[in-house]
mmCIF file of all heavy atoms in Angstrom:
data_model
loop_
_atom_site.group_PDB
_atom_site.id
_atom_site.type_symbol
_atom_site.label_atom_id
_atom_site.label_comp_id
_atom_site.label_asym_id
_atom_site.label_seq_id
_atom_site.Cartn_x
_atom_site.Cartn_y
_atom_site.Cartn_z
ATOM 1 N N ALA A 1341 5.841 -10.246 16.345
ATOM 2 C CA ALA A 1341 4.526 -10.670 16.837
ATOM 3 C C ALA A 1341 4.238 -12.113 16.446
ATOM 4 O O ALA A 1341 3.753 -12.907 17.258
ATOM 5 C CB ALA A 1341 3.439 -9.744 16.286
ATOM 6 N N LYS A 1342 4.559 -12.474 15.215
ATOM 7 C CA LYS A 1342 4.311 -13.839 14.742
ATOM 8 C C LYS A 1342 5.121 -14.851 15.557
ATOM 9 O O LYS A 1342 4.607 -15.898 15.944
ATOM 10 C CB LYS A 1342 4.670 -13.935 13.259
ATOM 11 C CG LYS A 1342 4.298 -15.231 12.621
ATOM 12 C CD LYS A 1342 2.805 -15.439 12.564
ATOM 13 C CE LYS A 1342 2.235 -14.795 11.334
ATOM 14 N NZ LYS A 1342 0.805 -14.970 11.206
ATOM 15 N N HIS A 1343 6.375 -14.531 15.846
ATOM 16 C CA HIS A 1343 7.197 -15.423 16.678
ATOM 17 C C HIS A 1343 6.581 -15.580 18.069
ATOM 18 O O HIS A 1343 6.526 -16.693 18.604
ATOM 19 C CB HIS A 1343 8.627 -14.900 16.798
ATOM 20 C CG HIS A 1343 9.432 -15.014 15.549
ATOM 21 N ND1 HIS A 1343 9.679 -16.201 14.907
ATOM 22 C CD2 HIS A 1343 10.045 -14.065 14.811
ATOM 23 C CE1 HIS A 1343 10.406 -15.990 13.838
ATOM 24 N NE2 HIS A 1343 10.648 -14.697 13.747
ATOM 25 N N ALA A 1344 6.135 -14.483 18.641
ATOM 26 C CA ALA A 1344 5.532 -14.542 19.983
ATOM 27 C C ALA A 1344 4.245 -15.356 19.965
ATOM 28 O O ALA A 1344 3.978 -16.114 20.900
ATOM 29 C CB ALA A 1344 5.276 -13.123 20.496
ATOM 30 N N GLN A 1345 3.453 -15.217 18.913
ATOM 31 C CA GLN A 1345 2.198 -15.953 18.817
ATOM 32 C C GLN A 1345 2.428 -17.459 18.702
ATOM 33 O O GLN A 1345 1.618 -18.245 19.171
ATOM 34 C CB GLN A 1345 1.389 -15.465 17.610
ATOM 35 C CG GLN A 1345 0.819 -14.073 17.802
ATOM 36 C CD GLN A 1345 0.192 -13.547 16.528
ATOM 37 O OE1 GLN A 1345 0.762 -13.638 15.445
ATOM 38 N NE2 GLN A 1345 -0.998 -12.981 16.657
ATOM 39 N N ARG A 1346 3.514 -17.854 18.092
ATOM 40 C CA ARG A 1346 3.796 -19.275 17.887
ATOM 41 C C ARG A 1346 4.610 -19.896 19.019
ATOM 42 O O ARG A 1346 4.850 -21.111 19.013
ATOM 43 C CB ARG A 1346 4.555 -19.462 16.576
ATOM 44 C CG ARG A 1346 3.725 -19.120 15.366
ATOM 45 C CD ARG A 1346 4.511 -19.326 14.110
ATOM 46 N NE ARG A 1346 3.688 -19.034 12.941
ATOM 47 C CZ ARG A 1346 4.158 -18.812 11.740
ATOM 48 N NH1 ARG A 1346 5.462 -18.853 11.522
ATOM 49 N NH2 ARG A 1346 3.351 -18.557 10.740
ATOM 50 N N ALA A 1347 5.044 -19.115 19.965
ATOM 51 C CA ALA A 1347 5.970 -19.584 21.000
ATOM 52 C C ALA A 1347 5.364 -20.597 21.949
ATOM 53 O O ALA A 1347 6.096 -21.369 22.579
ATOM 54 C CB ALA A 1347 6.513 -18.402 21.794
ATOM 55 N N SER A 1348 4.057 -20.640 22.072
ATOM 56 C CA SER A 1348 3.445 -21.533 23.057
ATOM 57 C C SER A 1348 3.738 -23.014 22.780
ATOM 58 O O SER A 1348 3.701 -23.825 23.699
ATOM 59 C CB SER A 1348 1.938 -21.304 23.126
ATOM 60 O OG SER A 1348 1.343 -21.607 21.884
ATOM 61 N N SER A 1349 4.051 -23.341 21.549
ATOM 62 C CA SER A 1349 4.349 -24.741 21.233
ATOM 63 C C SER A 1349 5.845 -25.062 21.362
ATOM 64 O O SER A 1349 6.259 -26.182 21.078
ATOM 65 C CB SER A 1349 3.880 -25.065 19.810
ATOM 66 O OG SER A 1349 4.600 -24.290 18.876
ATOM 67 N N GLU A 1350 6.615 -24.101 21.818
ATOM 68 C CA GLU A 1350 8.069 -24.277 21.944
ATOM 69 C C GLU A 1350 8.451 -24.596 23.393
ATOM 70 O O GLU A 1350 7.639 -24.500 24.307
ATOM 71 C CB GLU A 1350 8.790 -23.002 21.484
ATOM 72 C CG GLU A 1350 8.530 -22.624 20.038
ATOM 73 C CD GLU A 1350 9.159 -23.568 19.034
ATOM 74 O OE1 GLU A 1350 10.087 -24.313 19.403
ATOM 75 O OE2 GLU A 1350 8.714 -23.575 17.868
ATOM 76 N N THR A 1351 9.726 -24.940 23.581
ATOM 77 C CA THR A 1351 10.239 -25.246 24.920
ATOM 78 C C THR A 1351 10.334 -23.975 25.764
ATOM 79 O O THR A 1351 10.349 -22.866 25.233
ATOM 80 C CB THR A 1351 11.640 -25.873 24.834
ATOM 81 O OG1 THR A 1351 12.544 -24.884 24.315
ATOM 82 C CG2 THR A 1351 11.644 -27.117 23.960
ATOM 83 N N ASN A 1352 10.422 -24.164 27.069
ATOM 84 C CA ASN A 1352 10.591 -23.020 27.974
ATOM 85 C C ASN A 1352 11.873 -22.255 27.678
ATOM 86 O O ASN A 1352 11.890 -21.024 27.774
ATOM 87 C CB ASN A 1352 10.565 -23.468 29.437
ATOM 88 C CG ASN A 1352 9.159 -23.623 29.955
ATOM 89 O OD1 ASN A 1352 8.185 -23.331 29.268
ATOM 90 N ND2 ASN A 1352 9.045 -24.113 31.171
ATOM 91 N N ASP A 1353 12.946 -22.995 27.348
ATOM 92 C CA ASP A 1353 14.208 -22.318 27.015
ATOM 93 C C ASP A 1353 14.031 -21.410 25.805
ATOM 94 O O ASP A 1353 14.511 -20.279 25.797
ATOM 95 C CB ASP A 1353 15.318 -23.334 26.735
ATOM 96 C CG ASP A 1353 15.827 -24.014 27.987
ATOM 97 O OD1 ASP A 1353 15.553 -23.500 29.101
ATOM 98 O OD2 ASP A 1353 16.497 -25.052 27.857
ATOM 99 N N PHE A 1354 13.356 -21.919 24.778
ATOM 100 C CA PHE A 1354 13.102 -21.108 23.587
ATOM 101 C C PHE A 1354 12.266 -19.890 23.948
ATOM 102 O O PHE A 1354 12.547 -18.773 23.513
ATOM 103 C CB PHE A 1354 12.393 -21.941 22.507
ATOM 104 C CG PHE A 1354 12.044 -21.127 21.293
ATOM 105 C CD1 PHE A 1354 12.957 -20.974 20.268
ATOM 106 C CD2 PHE A 1354 10.805 -20.510 21.180
ATOM 107 C CE1 PHE A 1354 12.642 -20.207 19.148
ATOM 108 C CE2 PHE A 1354 10.471 -19.754 20.073
ATOM 109 C CZ PHE A 1354 11.393 -19.601 19.055
ATOM 110 N N GLN A 1355 11.213 -20.088 24.740
ATOM 111 C CA GLN A 1355 10.341 -18.983 25.135
ATOM 112 C C GLN A 1355 11.103 -17.932 25.934
ATOM 113 O O GLN A 1355 10.897 -16.732 25.744
ATOM 114 C CB GLN A 1355 9.155 -19.513 25.941
ATOM 115 C CG GLN A 1355 8.196 -20.335 25.120
ATOM 116 C CD GLN A 1355 7.078 -20.929 25.955
ATOM 117 O OE1 GLN A 1355 6.965 -20.695 27.155
ATOM 118 N NE2 GLN A 1355 6.239 -21.723 25.313
ATOM 119 N N THR A 1356 11.997 -18.381 26.800
ATOM 120 C CA THR A 1356 12.795 -17.442 27.601
ATOM 121 C C THR A 1356 13.720 -16.628 26.704
ATOM 122 O O THR A 1356 13.848 -15.413 26.875
ATOM 123 C CB THR A 1356 13.601 -18.202 28.674
ATOM 124 O OG1 THR A 1356 12.671 -18.890 29.516
ATOM 125 C CG2 THR A 1356 14.453 -17.265 29.499
ATOM 126 N N ARG A 1357 14.354 -17.290 25.726
ATOM 127 C CA ARG A 1357 15.233 -16.566 24.788
ATOM 128 C C ARG A 1357 14.423 -15.585 23.945
ATOM 129 O O ARG A 1357 14.843 -14.459 23.703
ATOM 130 C CB ARG A 1357 15.989 -17.536 23.892
ATOM 131 C CG ARG A 1357 17.140 -18.251 24.578
ATOM 132 C CD ARG A 1357 18.052 -18.979 23.595
ATOM 133 N NE ARG A 1357 17.352 -19.882 22.682
ATOM 134 C CZ ARG A 1357 17.023 -21.137 22.965
ATOM 135 N NH1 ARG A 1357 17.329 -21.657 24.153
ATOM 136 N NH2 ARG A 1357 16.393 -21.891 22.078
ATOM 137 N N LEU A 1358 13.254 -16.018 23.497
ATOM 138 C CA LEU A 1358 12.402 -15.143 22.697
ATOM 139 C C LEU A 1358 11.940 -13.943 23.515
ATOM 140 O O LEU A 1358 11.934 -12.813 23.016
ATOM 141 C CB LEU A 1358 11.198 -15.907 22.154
ATOM 142 C CG LEU A 1358 10.212 -15.090 21.322
ATOM 143 C CD1 LEU A 1358 10.905 -14.502 20.089
ATOM 144 C CD2 LEU A 1358 9.021 -15.947 20.921
ATOM 145 N N ALA A 1359 11.565 -14.166 24.751
ATOM 146 C CA ALA A 1359 11.146 -13.056 25.612
ATOM 147 C C ALA A 1359 12.272 -12.041 25.752
ATOM 148 O O ALA A 1359 12.034 -10.829 25.678
ATOM 149 C CB ALA A 1359 10.713 -13.579 26.985
ATOM 150 N N SER A 1360 13.490 -12.524 25.914
ATOM 151 C CA SER A 1360 14.649 -11.637 26.008
ATOM 152 C C SER A 1360 14.841 -10.855 24.708
ATOM 153 O O SER A 1360 15.118 -9.652 24.733
ATOM 154 C CB SER A 1360 15.894 -12.449 26.335
ATOM 155 O OG SER A 1360 17.019 -11.617 26.396
ATOM 156 N N GLU A 1361 14.677 -11.523 23.581
ATOM 157 C CA GLU A 1361 14.793 -10.859 22.278
ATOM 158 C C GLU A 1361 13.708 -9.796 22.116
ATOM 159 O O GLU A 1361 13.966 -8.700 21.619
ATOM 160 C CB GLU A 1361 14.689 -11.893 21.160
ATOM 161 C CG GLU A 1361 14.741 -11.299 19.771
ATOM 162 C CD GLU A 1361 14.479 -12.322 18.682
ATOM 163 O OE1 GLU A 1361 14.736 -13.521 18.889
ATOM 164 O OE2 GLU A 1361 14.002 -11.901 17.615
#
Side-chain angles (χ1 to χ4, degrees):
K1342 187 66 86 179
H1343 289 301
Q1345 289 172 314
R1346 293 180 178 163
S1348 62
S1349 63
E1350 299 290 341
T1351 66
N1352 277 356
D1353 287 344
F1354 177 87
Q1355 291 176 3
T1356 300
R1357 285 192 308 275
L1358 179 60
S1360 179
E1361 178 187 334

